[in-house]
Amino acid sequence: MGFLDYVFAFVFVLGVMVLVHELGHFLAARYFGVRVEAFAFGFGPRLFGYKRGDTDYKVCLVPLGGYVKMAGETTKEPTGDPGEFLSKPRWQRVIIALMGPVFNVFLALLLLAGLFMVRYERLAFHLEPAVVGRVAEGSTAEQAGVREGDRIVAIDGEETPTWESVKLREITATHTTLNVTVERAGKRIDLPVVIGEDEATGAGNAGWSEIVQVRVVETQEGKPAEQAGIRAGDILVTLNGEEIDDLQGVVELIQQSEGKPIQIEILREDQPLQITVSAVHVETQTNGGSWQIGLSLSQYERIKTRLGLVDAWRASVDHNAKSATLIFRFLQGLIEQRMSPKSLAGPIGIARLSGQAFRSGWPQLVMFMALISLNLGIFNLLPIPILDGGVITLLLLESVMRRDISFAVKERIVQVGLVFILLLFAFVIYNDIVNSLSSG
């Protein structure tokens, strides 16, 4: 994928998010009679646009955001002009500030509901009982006494969790202890598990994982696997007597065979079969070639279906609620200084992820856009000066005090908020560069 494709994907994703966010502010302001002087995508010098009525609709040089400029928004005192932002009652100003994040959240709901009506895809193991298939050596789960074959029957008070709920709790529980109950040989055993940290992402990681079944997605025509009788849907159990528990293990064993016959045990409709296949060497320009048998494999079974309108909205609300819960738990972990901020992404990271989602296909791009929109909505509600949440916080504080905070104090608060945002921006750019270099 070329650089221009990443740029296009980034501008498209960010452009949609910003336009929807600012549209929320714009429509609320117009509804309450506030005169809007500019509706801008980007910052800096004006590149092009048009003016209609009092509003200049424009695209600016730096495509990293956008803004709606309302009359009287930055003046010290209201002039008495009824079209100015500061002339409106506080409750109206709260709604105007709130509508940007609300529109982002609604967009996330709308995107996923639309997607689920066309394609609703879930990982099969997420819906299954949380039976431990592997425990990493030296992991916190192993240290706590978790064993392969254990079934997690309770975690932090939740009975009979699925793998999805276990994963949701695990990734945001870094450096905390989860009260886990497992079922082993018909007995319930309580095991307090301290959740470790994934070095690459900073997310919580106990070191346990689900039972993995490596499935054949498709066979390549005329290649050894097809000739030997392997079919799509077959499950690989062993290669040369060694159990298969992940895709990497299959690749390594095929490379080690160097063309010698490989004994493969498979499951087909729950019936075991023995098949012998010999890999062929395929030349490539990148790494000098590799041994292949012509299989496309996946270790995760995917359940695909379509949902009706009502069920799609319910699934969208449920999915976004889980994502929002993760965001808030992550923010809590950052405040408590037990979670690493290394997973925070800035423009470079968003561009890279946008490009990857664009390359993976439109369903992945829609999922990514919904997640970014939800993140943008929640982030803007944080009580940080210059963000919508900061504006709302000051307005609510003035309502409680029943008087306006002086312009000089507000100016200092905004300056502090601006410095914080600039430092945060510098940090996420640094994060992006480090992550890009490590992934490169």
Side-chain angles (χ1 to χ4, degrees):
M1 187 174 187
F3 173 75
L4 291 179
D5 292 325
Y6 280 99
V7 172
F8 169 78
F10 170 67
V11 172
F12 174 74
V13 170
L14 188 65
V16 171
M17 301 303 105
V18 169
L19 287 176
V20 168
H21 181 92
E22 298 305 326
L23 181 63
H25 293 313
F26 175 79
L27 293 178
R30 292 289 296 269
Y31 179 81
F32 289 119
V34 176
R35 188 169 64 255
V36 179
E37 297 177 350
F39 189 135
F41 173 69
F43 297 101
R46 184 182 194 272
L47 293 180
F48 59 89
Y50 68 97
K51 189 169 184 179
R52 183 176 180 180
D54 295 321
T55 307
D56 182 16
Y57 302 88
K58 58 184 178 179
V59 174
C60 299
L61 181 62
V62 184
L64 296 178
Y67 63 92
V68 166
K69 183 181 178 182
M70 291 173 276
E73 188 177 8
T74 58
T75 57
K76 293 185 179 182
E77 297 293 340
T79 64
D81 183 346
E84 289 185 347
F85 178 73
L86 292 178
S87 297
K88 301 302 177 181
R90 293 192 187 97
W91 67 270
Q92 292 185 5
R93 284 181 274 163
V94 168
I95 293 176
I96 293 171
L98 185 61
M99 280 301 102
V102 166
F103 266 50
N104 278 129
V105 174
F106 181 76
L107 176 63
L109 292 169
L110 184 64
L111 285 172
L112 290 190
L115 173 63
F116 293 161
M117 291 177 65
V118 178
R119 177 175 175 173
Y120 184 56
E121 182 176 320
R122 303 191 70 181
L123 295 174
F125 86 88
H126 272 178
L127 310 178
E128 297 172 351
V131 178
V132 179
R134 173 194 267 183
V135 180
E137 185 176 352
S139 66
T140 56
E142 183 188 55
Q143 295 168 10
V146 179
R147 300 178 187 174
E148 294 179 3
D150 286 349
R151 177 180 174 181
I152 301 174
V153 294
I155 182 167
D156 263 12
E158 180 186 355
E159 292 288 330
T160 61
T162 61
W163 264 119
E164 182 180 43
S165 58
V166 170
K167 294 292 185 183
L168 287 174
R169 291 183 179 273
E170 177 187 6
I171 62 178
T172 56
T174 311
H175 303 307
T176 64
T177 300
L178 293 180
N179 297 314
V180 178
T181 302
V182 302
E183 186 178 82
R184 183 186 303 160
K187 297 181 179 179
R188 291 171 66 101
I189 305 171
D190 295 326
L191 300 172
V193 180
V194 177
I195 305 301
E197 179 181 337
D198 186 282
E199 293 183 0
T201 65
N205 184 9
W208 53 34
S209 59
E210 69 282 357
I211 297 174
V212 173
Q213 291 184 324
V214 178
R215 295 175 177 269
V216 178
V217 178
E218 63 179 354
T219 58
Q220 296 178 18
E221 185 177 356
K223 293 299 177 71
E226 184 196 49
Q227 295 172 349
I230 297 178
R231 304 175 188 171
D234 290 345
I235 300 174
L236 304 189
V237 181
T238 65
L239 266 71
N240 287 338
E242 295 192 31
E243 291 188 3
I244 300 302
D245 52 19
D246 60 25
L247 291 177
Q248 188 59 34
V250 176
V251 174
E252 291 175 355
L253 288 171
I254 292 175
Q255 299 311 305
Q256 292 170 8
S257 73
E258 296 183 343
K260 298 176 183 177
I262 304 171
Q263 300 296 325
I264 303 179
E265 181 184 354
I266 66 171
L267 279 180
R268 180 180 297 163
E269 298 178 355
D270 295 328
Q271 297 298 318
L273 296 174
Q274 297 289 336
I275 292 178
T276 301
V277 62
S278 297
V280 295
H281 196 266
V282 178
E283 298 290 337
T284 60
Q285 296 179 349
T286 55
N287 57 10
S290 62
W291 294 95
Q292 300 180 12
I293 61 175
L295 286 180
S296 176
L297 302 172
S298 173
Q299 66 184 47
Y300 299 115
E301 181 184 4
R302 298 179 182 272
I303 300 173
K304 300 178 183 178
T305 186
R306 295 181 180 181
L307 300 180
L309 177 61
V310 175
D311 288 337
W313 271 103
R314 287 174 179 168
S316 177
V317 170
D318 179 66
H319 186 98
N320 280 289
K322 290 174 180 176
S323 296
T325 300
L326 284 178
I327 294 169
F328 286 120
R329 286 179 180 173
F330 175 74
L331 291 173
Q332 180 183 359
L334 287 179
I335 294 171
E336 295 173 353
Q337 297 185 339
R338 56 179 178 78
M339 292 194 70
S340 171
K342 65 178 66 177
S343 60
L344 291 173
I348 298 174
I350 294 175
R352 178 168 53 84
L353 294 172
S354 299
Q356 291 173 357
F358 178 76
R359 180 176 57 183
S360 299
W362 70 267
Q364 287 72 28
L365 182 61
V366 171
M367 291 286 289
F368 178 73
M369 289 177 66
L371 181 61
I372 291 296
S373 190
L374 182 66
N375 272 268
L376 183 61
I378 291 176
F379 178 74
N380 270 281
L381 285 175
L382 296 179
I384 300 172
I386 83 170
L387 296 182
D388 298 324
V391 173
I392 294 171
T393 300
L394 287 177
L395 287 169
L396 293 178
L397 183 60
E398 287 179 339
S399 297
V400 173
M401 297 169 57
R402 297 187 178 182
R403 64 179 178 85
D404 289 343
I405 298 172
S406 71
F407 182 80
V409 172
K410 286 183 180 179
E411 194 172 36
R412 296 294 179 268
I413 292 174
V414 169
Q415 289 172 352
V416 171
L418 180 60
V419 170
F420 175 82
I421 292 296
L422 289 175
L423 290 175
L424 178 62
F425 185 78
F427 176 78
V428 295
I429 289 290
Y430 168 78
N431 243 9
D432 287 345
I433 294 172
V434 171
N435 291 333
S436 297
L437 290 175
S438 61
S439 63

